[in-house]
Amino acid sequence: MPLHRKKPFSAKQKKMQLLAKRVSKRDQAAREDPEWDFRQRPNEEGAPSGPQTAHAQTAKPATDGRNKLTSQFDKLSRVEIEDNKKRSMQPLHRLSLEDGLTMSFDDAYSADVDIPVRPEWTYGESKSVVEGREAAYFNSWLERLRASDEEVSLYEKNLEVWRQLWRVVEISDILLLIVDVRHPVLHFPPSLYRYITETTGKPLVVVLNKTDLVAENTVQAWMHYFKQRFPAVVLTRFCCYRDEALVDDTAVASMKMRRQRTRRRTHDSRLVGDLFAACRSVCETDKLGLVGWEDLIARYTDKVEEEEDSDSGDESSDGEPDEPVAPNEDADEEAHHGERVSSKYVTLGLVGHPNVGKSTIINSIVRRTVVSTSRTPGHTKHFQTIHVTPTLRLCDCPGLVFPCVVGRPMQVLAGLYNIAQVQEPYTSVQYLAERVPVERVLALHPPADARDPENFVWSAWAICEAFAIDRGFYTSRGARPDVYRASLHILRWVLDGRILLSFKPPGFFRDFAYLKELAKEEAQASVRSSDSASESSDTESIQPIAQKSMFALLDEENC
């Protein structure tokens, strides 16, 4: 049978295809907002009219199945993008360590900005009644937030995503709030803390994750700061990589070493025992006997892991936890009105921002991949339940962005927004370069046509351009440096920790009395660790190197 040649697709047909696609988009926009006119242009003052104004956009419910749990955020207008691009070409204004790398709760959150709490409901009410009440309350919350005097940054506007959080809080016995230790204040909304501890009355454990990315003194300082602000909160730490501890996470030499290191993702369960010990300390008395906490914690000790590493590789060894059940993808279909806390299980609910490592912690607990992970925010769409033992289960909540008052560039650097969808990444690079010497970390060189290369004044645009030349990023047509691609590459390195942006609590760099108090706590912890190490010499010590930390140096100088 002869082969038929493909029918050629002419330029005229391609033009007609694009015209039909454009008309279809206009019809869809007209159905969603009948008052919108695509022919509107920015007014004389430069403020765009119609749909281009970011604050004029409204959160529309996504009713189709594919986009039902897709996060919704405001977008920048063309005028704002151009203004930010011109601003990134201005010389950088370097900030001091105290002004640029410290963050408090007052800097990130305002008392007038809260989160939506699920309205009261009963099991006798129908699904439509409950959904209607929730939709009306959520719309009123959005309007109140828009009318507030505070300048609120990106936050979740999809009601379906907030419903996932409400359900996880309802069915959980203990809530684990996962925060990134590089900027934990941003990931700890006080309104969420009040909702969990006061409204629902459930215990909360704060997990400082990714502690391998920062120095030990930074972790100790943040734990001390959280205990001062929230005395009742239970803190623990976690990391998934086995790296050498940083002595100073603000030194350029340490940042260069971290930039050159490519790490392989592993399921490290060394600190799972500490995590379960923190959960045991806040577990209710009537459910304390459901889970064999002592046996469960003993499974994750270093001694048991060494025995497993020397085993033949059988996944079903005696030291492994019980075989976990596959994630329950249909958990949100079981009871839409909400679920009572089960008396047969102890449920640990993991909540927090996107990209803080909730799914990675679950995989580390189970010691194999049961929940898919990704650098893309919002990868987890539905909450999932994973059984660790017959009476202990984990509930993974999708990450959602809580309203705050920090700038949009900081949210992008923290991984709250999909980097591939960032309209204008140059202000985020500028925010980073004002606090971290990016050009020195990346070993960039001034442009060849610079008059005085030694005293060259960098800008965010110049950093991205030099990085594009260094990496060989050029546009396909004009063969110019691809500044946009280079800026996105820098943001991804920040998210991965290869370029370290780590904030400290207030007073970290100037209050020496505060540092000396933490030094004493660190010295006591090192004494306890040395005593335990002398009892078991075969166990490799994983305690911080106290003699090389900032706090020990302060004691030596008698500050």
Side-chain angles (χ1 to χ4, degrees):
M1 183 176 181
L3 297 177
H4 296 283
R5 295 179 58 186
K6 293 183 178 180
K7 185 178 180 181
F9 199 73
S10 64
K12 182 178 180 181
Q13 290 176 315
K14 182 64 176 180
K15 187 180 297 185
M16 296 299 296
Q17 184 188 42
L18 294 176
L19 180 61
K21 186 176 181 180
R22 196 177 300 117
V23 172
S24 176
K25 287 186 176 180
R26 290 176 182 174
D27 294 341
Q28 182 180 359
R31 289 194 299 269
E32 295 179 355
D33 189 0
E35 298 181 357
W36 177 67
D37 185 4
F38 69 92
R39 293 169 295 183
Q40 291 180 347
R41 291 291 184 269
N43 52 29
E44 297 178 357
E45 299 178 355
S49 58
Q52 294 196 3
T53 304
H55 299 287
Q57 293 180 352
T58 58
K60 304 177 181 62
T63 56
D64 56 323
R66 186 178 64 177
N67 299 325
K68 184 178 181 181
L69 290 174
T70 301
S71 297
Q72 299 177 359
F73 302 105
D74 288 334
K75 293 184 178 181
L76 295 174
S77 64
R78 295 180 181 177
V79 176
E80 291 173 332
I81 293 175
E82 292 298 327
D83 291 343
N84 293 340
K85 186 183 297 185
K86 294 178 182 178
R87 195 178 301 114
S88 67
M89 299 179 183
Q90 301 299 322
L92 291 173
H93 175 64
R94 305 286 185 176
L95 300 176
S96 63
L97 295 178
E98 181 64 30
D99 296 335
L101 291 180
T102 58
M103 181 182 294
S104 64
F105 285 101
D106 297 333
D107 299 331
Y109 292 96
S110 172
D112 299 332
V113 178
D114 58 353
I115 65 171
V117 180
R118 189 178 191 182
E120 297 182 359
W121 57 277
T122 59
Y123 279 98
E125 296 176 324
S126 63
K127 174 181 176 181
S128 59
V129 172
V130 175
E131 286 186 341
R133 186 188 299 117
E134 292 175 354
Y137 164 75
F138 188 74
N139 290 332
S140 64
W141 175 77
L142 289 176
E143 293 297 332
R144 186 173 68 253
L145 209 58
R146 293 193 189 98
S148 64
D149 297 333
E150 298 289 345
E151 186 177 353
V152 184
S153 300
L154 295 172
Y155 62 94
E156 184 58 64
K157 293 187 175 182
N158 190 348
L159 174 59
E160 294 297 332
V161 181
W162 286 101
R163 281 172 173 161
Q164 298 291 310
L165 173 66
W166 297 341
R167 297 176 192 175
V168 171
V169 173
E170 284 180 354
I171 68 175
S172 299
D173 298 284
I174 303 172
L175 275 304
L176 304 180
L177 179 56
I178 316 300
V179 301
D180 192 332
V181 74
R182 291 175 292 180
H183 18 71
V185 168
L186 178 62
H187 302 300
F188 188 92
S191 55
L192 178 63
Y193 170 78
R194 293 190 297 267
Y195 168 55
I196 294 175
T197 58
E198 298 176 6
T199 305
T200 64
K202 296 185 177 182
L204 176 67
V205 176
V206 178
V207 182
L208 298 178
N209 196 20
K210 304 181 182 181
T211 55
D212 56 307
L213 296 179
V214 299
E216 179 63 24
N217 52 19
T218 302
V219 180
Q220 296 293 337
W222 277 120
M223 295 184 73
H224 186 79
Y225 178 73
F226 271 84
K227 289 178 181 177
Q228 284 185 334
R229 291 296 301 265
F230 304 96
V233 73
V234 178
L235 293 167
T236 186
R237 54 194 298 174
F238 199 87
C239 66
C240 298
Y241 296 102
R242 300 197 179 195
D243 278 356
E244 297 179 0
L246 290 175
V247 177
D248 186 3
D249 53 12
T250 59
V252 178
S254 300
M255 294 184 183
K256 286 185 177 180
M257 293 176 60
R258 183 58 58 91
R259 174 183 65 88
Q260 298 172 357
R261 183 179 306 167
T262 57
R263 303 181 302 167
R264 180 176 176 269
R265 184 178 297 274
T266 58
H267 298 149
D268 190 1
S269 57
R270 291 176 299 162
L271 300 177
V272 175
D274 297 339
L275 178 62
F276 283 149
C279 297
R280 179 189 57 184
S281 64
V282 298
C283 184
E284 297 180 358
T285 307
D286 55 345
K287 284 195 171 184
L288 196 59
L290 285 178
V291 181
W293 292 105
E294 298 295 339
D295 297 337
L296 187 62
I297 294 173
R299 292 175 179 175
Y300 293 94
T301 58
D302 291 343
K303 184 176 180 181
V304 173
E305 285 197 4
E306 289 176 0
E307 294 176 357
E308 291 173 356
D309 292 339
S310 62
D311 198 4
S312 59
D314 187 9
E315 296 181 356
S316 60
S317 61
D318 295 337
E320 288 283 348
D322 294 343
E323 185 70 16
V325 180
N328 188 359
E329 300 288 350
D330 299 328
D332 59 325
E333 302 293 340
E334 293 178 359
H336 180 81
H337 307 291
E339 299 183 23
R340 293 189 179 96
V341 176
S342 175
S343 59
K344 300 179 182 179
Y345 308 100
V346 174
T347 305
L348 308 180
L350 286 78
V351 298
H353 273 145
N355 265 330
V356 293
K358 297 183 295 296
S359 301
T360 305
I361 290 179
I362 292 179
N363 293 333
S364 299
I365 293 176
V366 183
R367 292 174 177 160
R368 65 186 181 90
T369 302
V370 294
V371 180
S372 61
T373 59
S374 174
R375 292 185 303 181
T376 304
H379 179 72
T380 303
K381 297 299 183 182
H382 298 263
F383 76 88
Q384 307 171 74
T385 54
I386 298 93
H387 287 260
V388 180
T389 67
T391 56
L392 178 65
R393 62 180 181 179
L394 308 173
C395 189
D396 186 16
C397 177
L400 69 160
V401 182
F402 302 96
C404 61
V405 295
V406 300
R408 185 189 293 247
M410 179 60 211
Q411 290 183 304
V412 173
L413 290 169
L416 307 186
Y417 192 80
N418 189 1
I419 293 179
Q421 297 178 359
V422 174
Q423 298 173 278
E424 181 274 309
Y426 313 110
T427 52
S428 299
V429 177
Q430 181 179 8
Y431 185 93
L432 171 68
E434 290 175 347
R435 291 156 176 82
V436 177
V438 182
E439 72 280 0
R440 296 173 58 191
V441 175
L442 299 177
L444 301 178
H445 302 285
D449 56 350
R451 297 181 179 179
D452 188 2
E454 295 182 357
N455 300 322
F456 179 74
V457 180
W458 289 92
S459 65
W461 185 273
I463 290 176
C464 297
E465 190 173 20
F467 186 67
I469 296 174
D470 182 70
R471 303 289 294 185
F473 298 157
Y474 293 95
T475 58
S476 57
R477 289 190 177 182
R480 295 185 297 268
D482 195 342
V483 182
Y484 180 77
R485 181 183 175 187
S487 59
L488 295 184
H489 206 80
I490 292 176
L491 297 182
R492 291 190 182 96
W493 277 18
V494 174
L495 182 60
D496 293 341
R498 299 180 67 177
I499 300 177
L500 183 59
L501 176 64
S502 172
F503 286 87
K504 320 294 180 186
F508 182 88
F509 297 102
R510 71 170 187 270
D511 193 353
F512 290 97
Y514 172 70
L515 295 178
K516 286 180 67 64
E517 183 179 355
L518 293 180
K520 294 179 181 179
E521 296 181 1
E522 185 181 358
Q524 295 175 359
S526 62
V527 170
R528 290 193 297 267
S529 64
S530 61
D531 294 341
S532 61
S534 60
E535 296 176 359
S536 57
S537 58
D538 295 337
T539 304
E540 181 182 359
S541 176
I542 58 173
Q543 296 297 327
I545 306 175
Q547 67 272 16
K548 294 184 179 180
S549 66
M550 179 187 298
F551 306 136
L553 294 177
L554 289 175
D555 280 342
E556 294 175 1
E557 296 175 358
N558 295 323
C559 294

